[in-house]
Amino acid sequence: MGKYDSEELVKYLAEQFVHFLETPKEKRRAQKIERRKARGKWSLNWFGLLPVTLSVWTGRLRRRKRFD
């Protein structure tokens, strides 16, 4: 927020609020549902690449055990 002064911030917030009030409730609900569908899996959001990393790591351990 360093490059915005308080007047511009208030103006932006007022525009967003007016836009929200002018959109019909059904359209807002539809947009909310679309945003939910666009999100990725919850496990990826919460854990990132940890499950993938663990599976690669365990696969390497299994291969080492086979060759020993």
Side-chain angles (χ1 to χ4, degrees), residues 3-18:
K3 58 184 180 177
Y4 295 111
D5 61 344
S6 60
E7 291 178 14
E8 290 178 2
L9 181 61
V10 170
K11 182 179 175 184
Y12 172 75
L13 290 175
E15 287 174 358
Q16 292 298 314
F17 184 69
V18 169

Side-chain angles (χ1 to χ4, degrees), residues 39-52 54:
R39 276 192 268 171
K41 289 185 173 182
W42 69 270
S43 62
L44 187 60
N45 288 340
W46 277 86
F47 304 112
L49 292 177
L50 185 64
V52 175
L54 289 175

Side-chain angles (χ1 to χ4, degrees), residues 36-68:
R36 284 184 183 170
K37 287 180 182 178
R39 276 192 268 171
K41 289 185 173 182
W42 69 270
S43 62
L44 187 60
N45 288 340
W46 277 86
F47 304 112
L49 292 177
L50 185 64
V52 175
T53 305
L54 289 175
S55 66
V56 169
W57 183 60
T58 56
R60 287 182 182 173
L61 289 176
R62 287 181 193 150
R63 276 186 266 148
R64 280 188 194 167
K65 254 185 178 175
R66 254 190 277 157
F67 293 124
D68 287 343

